[in-house]
Amino acid sequence: MTGIERLRGIEEGDVAALAARIGSDAVSWPAPSRYLEEPRGKLAGHPASALVRPRNTGEVARILAFCHERRIPVVPYGGGTGLVGGQVMADLPPLVLSLERMRAIRSLSPADGVMVVEAGAVLAEVQAAAAAHDRLFPLSMASEGSCTIGGNLATNAGGVQVLRYGNARALCLGIEAVLADGRIHHGLRSLHKDNTGYDLRDLLIGSEGTLGVITAATLKLHMRPRAHATAFLAVASPSAALDLLHAALAALDERLTAFELISEQSFVFMAEKLPAIRRPFGTAPAWSVLMEAAGSEAGELEERLLGMIEAALAEGQVTDGRLARSERERREFWHFRESIPLANRAVGAIVSHDISLPLGTIPAFLRDAPAQIRRIAPVRINAFGHLGDGNLHYNFFPPEGRDRREYAALAAALSERLYELVTARGGSISAEHGIGRFRARDLARFADPAALAAMRAIKAALDPRGILNPGAVLAG
Ligand code: ZN
């Protein structure tokens, strides 16, 4: 029996009973439409979904206990920016649980290098609170103005500074969470070392709301760098980009915070769809790299970066380049990079992917994969992403002048071919976006069978009635 068969959709009587328990101002039925959408427009939430917006952890606990008892599905909701459909459920009307009213910074200690925040805090607010105390919370991504820290942790989000600081998991020391039956896990510790058995924190981080609802977290702060050095470089090939990455790591070591690879197709889409955004090169290079170093002294950073670039120019790995000469120019470089997904969306992908590969296999993959993929359909491919992490966004678009809907029936076959190529090279079908609903069947097909069996056993143990985000991560 699948999880969904054991559940029932929320009904008017449930909504009334819930409103009586936690206040009618906290409950909306049906849920406003913005809670039933996802950014790629591929899946809409059930129109009879209800929305609840609790004010504190105690209310979250009462809500989950209520839904557990009545077998009502619950979809935990952060900023709604997830790209794999983890935030929308279509098969039954669920209770959408938004933590948007729980956004307090409970405490911040620059001396201890920690802050405790509630899950509904927007990532940009968390970054700003850390900066106000001269510290850095380094998690950073294009959606930071609307994604929430709870969603970031639930999906173990990545972004553009993982190379130096790690992903969301690496930035979290402890969590407070509510389990499926309403029990509260009080794990807001700020210990750097804690080897006391199974780690519930690491289990819930990345579980995409299927094992519990994170309500607050202890986050790790870093020292705020005083200076940045940023370069946009045209490179001879992906292989040259990889050589450059190694040279950058040798020259800058952990001061290297970001190393992004961008294909010519990104420049073409940007010019076509977002022409007002300043492009770093007049002519689109076949491949380019946006890299950044952070440290305490601008002069030293620039000297090391320039030395490395000059050597790469001499050797032909770099063919053209620009160093950001001002904070404004640095922001322009990043604005260009972070707008690529918007241009992609404006063009309209047939299907998008977020893969990771062992670093050394990436040049051969980028050389060989397009021909393999195009045996299925003559798609345009936009490959870009976090080369320093071995993580590429690898998205398929219809040929010029054609509509993506003409190719919709081929999307699954295109993804499957890609995932075969990726897994054959020891890669992953989801590097930082998670599994959600869009990739649950792919996970079932491509995951290690022992790992999948363990995941199902964990799900059954922590959420025996299957109320938490049913259909996400684990299909059927
Ligand atoms: Zn990314």
Side-chain angles (χ1 to χ4, degrees):
M1 188 175 7
T2 68
I4 288 187
E5 286 158 19
R6 288 177 294 175
L7 301 171
R8 63 175 187 81
I10 195 160
E11 289 164 11
E12 197 170 357
D14 303 312
V15 174
L18 191 61
R21 281 169 172 79
I22 63 157
S24 56
D25 70 311
V27 185
S28 315
W29 188 70
S33 60
R34 77 174 184 90
Y35 295 92
L36 308 177
E37 296 163 356
E38 52 81 26
R40 290 193 168 144
K42 296 196 168 183
L43 187 65
H46 196 290
S49 304
L51 170 72
V52 64
R53 298 181 304 145
R55 282 156 289 235
N56 54 55
T57 304
E59 287 185 357
V60 176
R62 271 147 62 200
I63 292 163
L64 289 190
F66 176 87
C67 290
H68 182 75
E69 190 194 311
R70 297 185 179 215
R71 298 177 188 267
I72 294 168
V74 177
V75 173
Y77 191 95
T81 58
L83 295 172
V84 288
Q87 70 277 58
V88 279
M89 180 175 176
D91 1 31
L92 279 178
L95 179 63
V96 177
L97 172 61
S98 168
L99 301 194
E100 69 201 72
R101 285 176 166 175
M102 295 174 56
R103 61 202 300 162
I105 309 284
R106 289 190 191 165
S107 66
L108 193 155
S109 165
D112 293 343
V114 294
M115 67 192 290
V116 177
V117 307
E118 291 186 344
V122 169
L123 176 55
E125 292 169 1
V126 175
Q127 294 166 342
H133 289 80
D134 201 25
R135 290 294 182 273
L136 175 75
F137 182 65
L139 192 67
S140 176
M141 62 199 74
S143 58
E144 63 199 24
S146 41
C147 64
T148 65
I149 197 70
N152 293 147
L153 290 168
T155 59
N156 189 26
V160 291
Q161 300 207 87
V162 174
L163 181 61
R164 161 73 177 90
Y165 299 103
N167 49 20
R169 174 175 278 125
L171 298 168
C172 177
L173 295 173
I175 56 166
E176 173 191 271
V178 181
L179 301 179
D181 60 5
R183 276 179 296 174
I184 300 172
H185 165 52
H186 298 281
L188 282 178
R189 303 215 257 183
S190 54
L191 305 174
H192 290 269
K193 299 180 100 173
D194 178 18
N195 257 357
T196 50
Y198 303 152
D199 195 324
L200 203 51
R201 172 197 64 190
D202 276 354
L203 199 53
L204 263 61
I205 293 175
S207 73
E208 304 184 32
T210 63
L211 299 179
V213 176
I214 295 170
T215 49
T218 308
L219 304 176
K220 196 165 151 183
L221 301 177
H222 286 259
M223 297 311 287
R224 201 146 79 103
R226 302 276 160 237
H228 293 95
T230 311
F232 221 128
L233 307 170
V235 293
S237 63
S239 170
L242 201 56
D243 290 344
L244 194 65
L245 170 65
H246 293 131
L249 285 167
L252 293 153
D253 198 12
E254 62 172 19
R255 280 163 288 204
L256 185 67
T257 55
F259 197 94
E260 302 282 305
L261 180 72
I262 299 161
S263 71
E264 183 177 10
Q265 192 66 64
S266 293
F267 280 81
V268 172
F269 286 167
M270 287 292 290
E272 190 184 316
K273 296 295 179 187
L274 300 170
I277 292 179
R278 205 155 151 206
R279 291 184 291 283
F281 301 101
T283 313
W287 293 98
S288 55
V289 157
L290 172 58
M291 57 181 287
E292 184 162 281
S296 50
E297 257 195 74
E300 190 230 353
L301 283 180
E302 256 192 48
E303 198 177 301
R304 283 174 185 264
L305 190 65
L306 276 174
M308 190 211 101
I309 293 170
E310 273 160 23
L313 272 164
E315 284 173 35
Q317 291 155 339
V318 169
T319 55
D320 192 6
R322 290 184 55 196
L323 201 65
R325 288 294 173 195
S326 63
E327 179 59 23
R328 207 195 80 192
E329 209 169 6
R330 173 182 171 238
R331 285 183 194 280
E332 275 177 10
F333 286 178
W334 279 109
H335 187 50
F336 178 86
R337 161 64 186 89
E338 295 193 328
S339 301
I340 294 171
L342 295 179
N344 285 344
R345 223 165 282 162
V347 174
I350 300 165
V351 62
S352 304
H353 310 91
D354 162 48
I355 55 173
S356 67
L357 288 155
L359 275 178
T361 69
I362 288 180
F365 170 82
L366 288 172
R367 186 191 62 221
D368 300 338
Q372 299 279 331
I373 298 296
R374 289 182 183 130
R375 279 188 198 161
I376 298 172
V379 294
R380 288 181 291 176
I381 298 174
N382 193 5
F384 65 99
H386 322 293
L387 181 65
D389 311 326
N391 175 196
L392 296 172
H393 301 308
Y394 202 76
N395 302 343
F396 301 155
F397 297 83
E400 220 175 333
R402 306 291 287 272
D403 192 288
R404 67 166 164 171
R405 281 166 295 192
E406 296 172 47
Y407 296 87
L410 292 172
L414 286 163
S415 295
E416 195 166 309
R417 175 64 57 86
L418 173 67
Y419 291 154
E420 281 164 7
L421 297 171
V422 166
T423 45
R425 288 165 170 78
S428 166
I429 66 164
S430 181
E432 61 174 3
H433 292 170
I435 297 296
R437 289 181 175 77
F438 297 162
R439 297 279 165 243
R441 294 204 177 279
D442 298 317
L443 182 74
R445 155 119 204 252
F446 289 100
D448 169 68
L452 200 59
M455 286 190 229
R456 290 191 189 285
I458 291 166
K459 171 72 175 172
L462 289 186
D463 181 17
R465 296 186 174 176
I467 64 164
L468 288 174
N469 216 2
V473 184
L474 297 170

